[in-house]
Amino acid sequence: MPGRVVRAERGLCDVVAETGPVRAAVVPGGGDRLTPCTGDWVAVRPGTEASSATVVEVLERRTAVVRSTASRDSQGQVLAANVDTVAVTVSLAGPLRHGRIERMLALAWKSGAMPVVVLTKADRSADAASAAAEVAAVAPGVEVLITSAATGEGLDVLDAVLSGTVVLLGPSGAGKSTLGNRLLGEDRLATGAVRDGDGKGRHTTAWRELLPLPHGGVLLDTPGLRGVGLHDADEGLDQAFAEITELAQGCRFADCAHATEPGCAVLAAVEDGLLTRRRLDSYHRLQRENTHAASRTDARLRAELERPKKQGARLRRAIKQSPNFKA
């Protein structure tokens, strides 16, 4: 029977089916086909008196939020499946971190869902409007909303913007769970205070769970993300840095790296003040990270990345072996 995973644990998952909630076992070692994530649609074989229900298939994902992991053979970790809206939560209680916002947006765009930046804790900001304008400059094509769970500011607008399956992404202390409780209309999600020194919070959310929203749709709260590594995020980067992608069309060379090439329209925009150097540096940094992550499973790409290092090593050895070399 078909159903949707509302909570996934190691070896078990809670599924909502037509007949009601089902606790189903997951067959180990089945890969993505048998490794469900919260939000997945699955096929479940009902249990009998002698055995429990079992997940026999994970259906194809319409969208998926995927990040890279530290494992060298990583294929990516699915954080949420079949989501419609990715709400990137950013706290206004502390300094804005542009690089983190850009990274989260690349992840969101890559998922196939619609990203929205939700600025939380506006009641603790000296100038929320200026902060929103600052964030909008690094989030082209993304709606930026100012909210405060304490005062209720912006929650009616946010409720109207969010649709379908909504996932909240952000670091601990960003106010995801508090915001989620306001959207749910009740205190379903655990919340905690942040440290005064650095504004970081404790991980009050221990798992990912789907919860129905009162006005339709479902909410997927996630634990705070300490790190978000990119995984196969070329398209996500192109959209997160849409202005660079557009400028690149005017470069002299089709494979321009926007580093030192002559006739580079992107570098010209930096010189003219139309694009900040910080923004371009962030783009380059995330591109390198994404390429490195891809090389873990792509032997040819890995060899291409290692070639300059090997060539440099051979050149150093040749110099040292030269009769004119002096240590």
Side-chain angles (χ1 to χ4, degrees), residues 256-280:
C256 183
H258 321 310
T260 58
E261 296 87 348
C264 175
V266 176
L267 294 177
V270 173
E271 294 178 1
D272 294 339
L274 302 177
L275 178 71
T276 65
R277 170 57 67 175
R278 187 216 64 81
R279 179 83 167 153
L280 179 57

Side-chain angles (χ1 to χ4, degrees), residues 7-314:
R7 179 177 170 184
E9 302 175 15
R10 181 173 297 179
L12 292 170
C13 62
D14 294 327
V15 179
V16 172
E18 185 178 10
T19 57
V22 177
R23 185 77 161 165
V26 179
V27 179
D32 284 346
R33 190 179 68 83
L34 288 176
T35 306
C37 171
T38 303
D40 267 325
W41 289 95
V42 295
V44 177
R45 179 178 293 115
T48 65
E49 294 183 359
S51 63
S52 61
T54 307
V55 173
V56 296
E57 189 79 31
V58 175
L59 305 187
E60 184 178 355
R61 292 163 178 147
R62 180 171 49 84
T63 63
V65 180
V66 185
R67 71 170 175 179
S68 179
T69 63
S71 174
R72 290 190 61 84
D73 59 354
S74 171
Q75 295 296 318
Q77 178 192 11
V78 182
L79 301 177
N82 300 307
V83 298
D84 299 286
T85 309
V86 178
V88 176
T89 56
V90 179
S91 172
L92 293 180
L96 296 173
R97 297 181 60 179
H98 299 116
R100 174 185 284 170
I101 296 172
E102 291 162 339
R103 178 183 296 272
M104 298 290 284
L105 286 175
L107 190 79
W109 279 119
K110 168 58 183 175
S111 73
M114 178 60 67
V116 176
V117 176
V118 183
L119 303 180
T120 62
K121 307 183 183 182
D123 55 292
R124 298 179 58 183
S125 172
D127 192 345
S130 295
E134 191 176 332
V135 172
V138 299
V142 179
E143 190 162 5
V144 179
L145 302 176
I146 301 173
T147 68
S148 169
T151 66
E153 178 185 357
L155 295 185
D156 54 342
V157 177
L158 178 62
D159 192 52
V161 169
L162 303 181
S163 62
T165 299
V166 180
V167 61
L168 301 177
L169 291 183
S172 296
K176 299 188 305 300
S177 296
T178 302
L179 181 65
N181 284 334
R182 291 300 299 268
L183 293 172
L184 292 167
E186 57 181 318
D187 292 338
R188 294 282 301 276
L189 307 174
T191 61
V194 299
R195 296 197 296 254
D196 293 332
D198 54 14
K200 293 183 179 180
R202 295 188 178 93
H203 290 280
T204 53
T205 300
W207 53 75
R208 305 175 189 92
E209 184 176 9
L210 282 181
L211 298 168
L213 289 167
H215 302 298
V218 289
L219 178 70
L220 202 167
D221 186 32
T222 63
L225 300 177
R226 290 189 179 92
V228 182
L230 298 183
H231 175 77
D232 190 21
D234 291 328
E235 295 179 8
L237 286 172
D238 285 345
Q239 291 179 287
F241 294 87
E243 77 279 34
I244 295 180
T245 304
E246 184 176 355
L247 286 167
Q249 296 178 5
C251 291
R252 181 183 302 176
F253 303 108
D255 59 347
C256 183
H258 321 310
T260 58
E261 296 87 348
C264 175
V266 176
L267 294 177
V270 173
E271 294 178 1
D272 294 339
L274 302 177
L275 178 71
T276 65
R277 170 57 67 175
R278 187 216 64 81
R279 179 83 167 153
L280 179 57
D281 289 345
S282 180
Y283 174 70
H284 282 149
R285 182 168 55 254
L286 293 177
Q287 269 199 326
R288 289 193 298 270
E289 178 185 320
N290 186 56
T291 301
H292 176 71
S295 71
R296 294 175 178 175
T297 54
D298 189 327
R300 179 179 298 178
L301 178 58
R302 185 164 59 248
E304 290 179 357
L305 292 177
E306 292 294 331
R307 186 177 300 130
K309 298 179 183 179
K310 293 180 179 179
Q311 290 175 340
R314 284 196 295 268

Side-chain angles (χ1 to χ4, degrees), residues 313-327:
R314 284 196 295 268
L315 179 60
R316 287 191 293 272
R317 285 197 299 270
I319 293 175
K320 290 181 179 180
Q321 293 171 1
S322 171
N324 297 324
F325 175 74
K326 295 181 180 181

